[in-house]
Amino acid sequence: MKNIVQLVLLEESDREQFIADNQQAFNYGAMEEFGPRDHHFEEDGQIISRETIERSIDSGEAYHIVSDGQRVGGVVIRTKGERGDLDLLFVSPFVHSKGIGYAAWCEVEKLHPEVKVWETVTPYFEQRNIHFYVNRCGFHIVEFFNAFHPDPNEPEAGCKEMDEQFSDGMFRFEKVVR
């Protein structure tokens, strides 16, 4: 049975819950890999800081992922002409492996048929994400950011805190839509 999802534009009144849900989903992956506390967490035990999420929401289009009438995740994208950036995509750990993330990604592509190249990044340790982007969604790994090769587009690139946090690496992915 094919999973049906909808993308519902984030309203300002839902912003706080969206941020909390995003942090919960990202923390789940990090805790599965590293345990409850290590250097990968940004602030107050979060793998992704509130500031990072807010910056993403403020500079892009943010949507709730809704399945069977329930909010089960979210996505934030930015587009400019034929290029698009997938800033955030998260699904509640309670509904993993049900096809929701893939269905949401398909909806993103339908929203922006003008986009011919999508880009995203994910930490090296997120094996679940790497599998999802490469094997499910058709992205390709095109670059590996690390302490020796920082992301030139990140304002924090080269900053000590960022280097310590993700010195083990971030993969950059691209998907060319044909």
Side-chain angles (χ1 to χ4, degrees):
M1 184 169 144
K2 188 173 181 172
N3 188 24
I4 305 294
V5 302
Q6 293 177 300
L7 299 181
V8 177
L9 200 58
L10 177 68
E11 295 181 19
E12 187 62 33
S13 60
D14 297 328
R15 186 179 176 108
E16 288 303 315
Q17 190 61 53
F18 186 91
I19 292 168
D21 292 346
N22 186 313
Q23 288 179 320
Q24 177 190 31
F26 275 67
N27 286 352
Y28 179 84
M31 293 223 288
E32 287 286 298
E33 183 68 26
F34 300 109
R37 193 77 180 142
D38 82 341
H39 74 282
H40 293 86
F41 289 82
E42 285 189 8
E43 66 179 27
D44 300 325
Q46 301 298 328
I47 190 70
I48 184 170
S49 73
R50 173 184 194 80
E51 180 183 343
T52 299
I53 298 167
E54 287 181 331
R55 192 170 46 239
S56 180
I57 292 169
D58 292 343
S59 67
E61 302 169 33
Y63 298 89
H64 288 287
I65 300 170
V66 177
S67 178
D68 294 328
Q70 300 294 314
R71 292 180 183 160
V72 295
V75 62
V76 180
I77 58 174
R78 287 180 289 127
T79 61
K80 186 174 182 178
E82 293 188 346
R83 296 198 63 87
D85 289 309
L86 172 60
D87 276 358
L88 299 169
L89 188 146
F90 65 95
V91 175
S92 168
F94 304 112
V95 294
H96 278 176
S97 301
K98 297 184 185 307
I100 291 170
Y102 179 70
W105 176 249
C106 291
E107 291 300 310
V108 167
E109 287 187 345
K110 287 179 194 173
L111 270 177
H112 289 284
E114 76 281 6
V115 173
K116 302 302 179 213
V117 179
W118 285 98
E119 183 176 311
T120 194
V121 296
T122 201
Y124 81 95
F125 62 83
E126 287 284 3
Q127 292 182 28
R128 184 179 186 83
N129 289 358
I130 295 165
H131 161 76
F132 173 73
Y133 291 126
V134 172
N135 298 323
R136 292 287 289 149
C137 298
F139 282 79
H140 296 277
I141 298 170
V142 295
E143 198 164 11
F144 181 61
F145 300 124
N146 58 67
F148 302 103
H149 179 71
D151 182 347
N153 299 312
E154 279 298 313
E156 297 90 0
C159 131
K160 184 176 188 276
E161 177 184 314
M162 199 62 168
D163 288 346
E164 288 174 6
Q165 182 182 350
F166 289 112
S167 62
D168 295 332
M170 298 279 286
F171 286 108
R172 182 172 72 87
F173 300 84
E174 279 189 358
K175 178 178 184 178
V176 177
V177 180
R178 303 199 190 282

